[in-house]
Amino acid sequence: MLLLSIESSCDETAASVVRDGRDILSSIVASQISIHADYGGVVPEIASRKHLEAISLVIEEALRTAGVSLPAIEGIAVTRGPGLAGALLVGISTAKALAYGLNIPVAGVNHIESHILAVKLERDVAFPFIALAVSGGHTHLYEVHGIGRYRTIGQTLDDAAGEAFDKVAKLLGLPYPGGALIDRLAADGDPRAVKLPRPLMHDDTCNFSFSGLKTAVLNYVKKNPSVAEGAALHNICASFQSAVCDVLVSKTRAAVLRSGIRRVVVAGGVACNSGVRREMAAFADKEGAELFIPSPSLCSDNAAMLAVPGDYYLSGRAVAGFDLDALPVWPLDAISSPEGP
Ligand code: KG4
Ligand code: ZN
C-alpha cells in the first residue's frame, strides 16, 4: 500500500509517503520550535494556527519528494492522539478531507504507538519486546506483544523525561526546548561533578519520577548562581543527564528481569540523547539483551513513524469512519485487540 501519513500532535507539522509500511519515500517535518521558543514552551493556539498554515505545503512537499501524485495514494494514516486537541484536529480534518476526496480509507493512529513501531522501518524486531517511550509528554515502559497489544508496566508519576530536560534547561537560562542543547553541553562536562538524586531508582516498581531531580538542580542553581556559565554549566548538564540515564537504564533493566523479555526498544525524542543511547547500549551488552533504537530522525516527531501501525490498521483491520475525532488523552493499553495484551 502507498500510504500518506500526517502528524500534527504538538509543534511539528509532518507528512510522509511510505510504501508497504517499510520503504520511506519521503519524510517532511516543518518545526514550529523557533516560534514557541519566545514563550518558553508550546502555546496551543499558536500551534494550531501554524499547523493550518503549514499542512498543505508539507503534504505537497512529501508527495513531490516521493515522486508520487496524490491520486496514487491508497490510504492515509493520521495521528489521533495523544496530543494538543486543536493541533490534532488540523491533521485529522486534513486527512479526512483527502480520504473523502480520493475515496480511500483513513486510520487514526496513537502517537506513542507510532514512536515505538518506528524502529520496524529500519530493523526487523521480533515481538515481544520491552519498549521505553521517552518524549516530551511520556516516560512509559511497555510490554509489546504485537501491533495493538501493549501492556503498561511503568510510567512517570510526575514529569516526563523530556519535560525534565526542558525545565532544567530553562532554569539554566537555555532556550526551549533544551534537551538537545543539554546533551551537547554535557559532552564536555563531568557527570560526577554535582551529586544529584536518582528518584525511585531503588524501589520495586518500574515507575519513574523526575520532578525531585529537577528541584535538586533548581536548589543547586540557587546556591551556585555562577553555574550557568563556563565549565560549571557543562558539569551540571552532564550530572543531570547522567542522573536521568541512570534511572532510565535501571528501570528498563528491572522491566527486562521481571518480564524475562530480553529485547528492548527505546523510542521518542529523548532516545536521541547520546547519553541514553550510550548507557542503554552498555546495559544491553552487560545483560546480553538485544537493543533497538531508531535513527534520531525517526525518534523525534515525524510522520514516517505512522506507517507501520497505519499500514497494519488499514489492511482491513481498523479503518476509521468520517466521524474520526481527536483523542488528546489516549493511553496505549486502551487500544483493544482481539488477541489481548
Ligand atoms: O518525541 P518528541 O519529538 O515529541 C513528543 O512527542 O514529546 O520529544 C520531544 C522531547 C523534548 O522534550 C526534547 O527536549 C527532547 O525530546 N529531546 C532530547 C534530545 N532531543 C530531543 N532530550 C535529551 N537529549 C536530546 N538529544
Ligand atoms: Zn512524539
Side-chain angles (χ1 to χ4, degrees):
M1 171 181 290
L2 199 55
L3 183 83
L4 171 68
S5 44
I6 299 171
E7 148 67 27
S8 68
S9 65
C10 190
D11 56 355
E12 258 99 31
T13 319
S16 169
V17 178
V18 176
R19 195 189 300 281
D20 298 331
R22 187 97 226 178
D23 301 327
I24 304 172
L25 305 187
S26 65
S27 179
I28 307 296
V29 181
S31 177
Q32 310 173 357
I33 279 175
S34 59
I35 297 155
H36 298 289
D38 291 345
Y39 303 90
V42 177
V43 183
E45 289 78 5
I46 297 178
S48 312
R49 219 174 309 143
K50 292 294 159 191
H51 282 308
L52 264 179
E53 286 170 19
I55 197 142
S56 302
L57 297 170
V58 168
I59 291 171
E60 278 168 24
E61 186 62 22
L63 292 167
R64 192 168 32 247
T65 306
V68 163
S69 67
L70 190 55
I73 296 294
E74 295 166 289
I76 300 183
V78 63
T79 305
R80 188 179 183 196
L84 301 169
L88 289 164
L89 282 173
V90 176
I92 292 171
S93 311
T94 308
K96 287 197 287 191
L98 285 172
Y100 184 73
L102 295 166
N103 195 24
I104 56 174
V106 61
V109 176
N110 185 293
H111 183 68
I112 299 304
E113 178 175 37
S114 302
H115 270 305
I116 291 169
L117 296 175
V119 71
K120 284 181 147 297
L121 290 163
E122 294 183 324
R123 309 271 300 276
D124 222 353
V125 190
F127 298 112
F129 56 79
I130 295 294
L132 172 68
V134 261
S135 68
H138 282 74
T139 301
H140 281 55
L141 273 163
Y142 301 99
E143 277 181 21
V144 181
H145 291 271
I147 300 180
R149 299 174 64 200
Y150 312 101
R151 178 184 289 135
T152 304
I153 49 175
Q155 59 189 291
T156 181
L157 305 178
D158 40 57
D159 293 348
E163 193 180 354
F165 266 100
D166 297 340
K167 285 178 174 172
V168 163
K170 194 171 179 175
L171 63 91
L172 292 172
L174 303 173
Y176 173 86
L181 193 49
I182 288 189
D183 191 0
R184 281 203 295 279
L185 291 165
D188 298 319
D190 175 2
R192 289 171 307 269
V194 183
K195 232 174 134 39
L196 293 172
R198 270 79 174 146
L200 299 190
M201 195 157 99
H202 299 297
D203 76 348
D204 58 357
T205 72
C206 288
N207 292 330
F208 304 87
S209 166
F210 293 105
S211 75
L213 173 58
K214 175 198 65 195
T215 306
V217 177
L218 176 65
N219 291 338
Y220 184 82
V221 171
K222 277 185 186 157
K223 281 191 203 134
N224 303 273
S226 63
V227 73
E229 293 154 28
L233 178 59
H234 293 279
N235 286 344
I236 187 74
C237 287
S239 301
F240 167 73
Q241 181 167 300
S242 161
V244 174
C245 289
D246 281 356
V247 176
L248 293 178
V249 167
S250 156
K251 295 295 178 163
T252 305
R253 177 188 289 113
V256 165
L257 296 180
R258 199 177 277 200
S259 66
I261 299 171
R262 307 193 68 77
R263 266 184 297 272
V264 174
V265 169
V266 186
V270 181
C272 294
N273 184 270
S274 58
V276 170
R277 297 176 90 91
R278 191 175 52 241
E279 297 305 320
M280 282 289 173
F283 141 72
D285 231 30
K286 194 165 161 222
E287 297 288 339
E290 277 184 282
L291 177 70
F292 304 86
I293 309 182
S295 303
S297 62
L298 283 173
C299 287
S300 50
D301 283 350
N302 67 90
M305 67 184 189
L306 278 78
V308 174
D311 200 76
Y312 176 84
Y313 291 123
L314 285 173
S315 304
R317 291 173 183 87
V319 175
F322 288 112
D323 56 352
L324 179 71
D325 56 357
L327 288 178
V329 179
W330 189 9
L332 200 48
D333 43 11
I335 295 177
S336 56
S337 156
E339 295 103 291

